[in-house]
Amino acid sequence: DQQVKQNSPSLSVQEGRISILNCDYTNSMFDYFLWYKKYPAEGPTFLISISSIKDKNEDGRFTVFLNKSAKHLSLHIVPSQPGDSAVYFCAAKSNNQGGKLIFGQGTELSVKP
Amino acid sequence: KAGVTQTPRYLIKTRGQQVTLSCSPISGHRSVSWYQQTPGQGLQFLFEYFSETQRNKGNFPGRFSGRQFSNSRSEMNVSTLELGDSALYLCASRGGLDTGELFFGEGSRLTVL
């Protein structure tokens, strides 16, 4: 039972354009969502998060949008840079599961110069 | 501030053997989680320890076990290894149980032959 889904395994974007990575979830108990970025041979690094009481959170070039009614969140990267090329994981947490994070399968973003 | 340290980084075992992986969290962090990453499956939660107590456990067989020491360092053990246990095992730490952000180590790449 995949509670967090990233349906696009890969995405290719031109440098300077917008990258939009999508994530869907099924568990309405999730109250906190995070995005992680992972380079090969490295562990995932935290990028940005959003609480379920908000619908948008912005940090520099990165913005996360949450649509609770659709159980959908997205990560926007504007403008995209070649260094953003990595695998992006969305993750979700619910209050009644302690610190456990449920991760999606990941989307590999390639930003072409 | 040193990050999360995992040892060994790479190891090769044969079926039926057992393996122990080690994780040193960020100084001051008391929560340690373990995740398994396999291609196409994202990160699967194994377990979380806080103050030497297992707080949460994922859906893995009993061959997977872990523990946490008084200095917050953690080990995970996999007994009777199977080919399907080949994966990247990631350790992550956080300051407390409720803080959503996890800080990951670089992982231990296990290959089972």
Side-chain angles (χ1 to χ4, degrees), chain A residues 10 19 29 31-32 36 38 47 54 66 70 79-80 100 107:
Chain A
S10 62
S19 294
M29 296 298 291
D31 62 351
Y32 196 72
Y36 281 82
K38 186 180 185 299
L47 201 53
K54 295 186 175 181
L66 174 62
S80 302
K100 175 181 175 180
T107 297

Side-chain angles (χ1 to χ4, degrees), chain A residues 36 38 43-44 46 97 99 101, chain B residues 35 37 48 56 94 102 104-105:
Chain A
Y36 281 82
K38 186 180 185 299
F46 170 75
Q97 298 232 333
L101 289 184
Chain B
Y35 289 80
Q37 185 189 5
E48 178 175 25
N56 219 328
R94 70 172 100 217
L102 289 174
F104 282 88

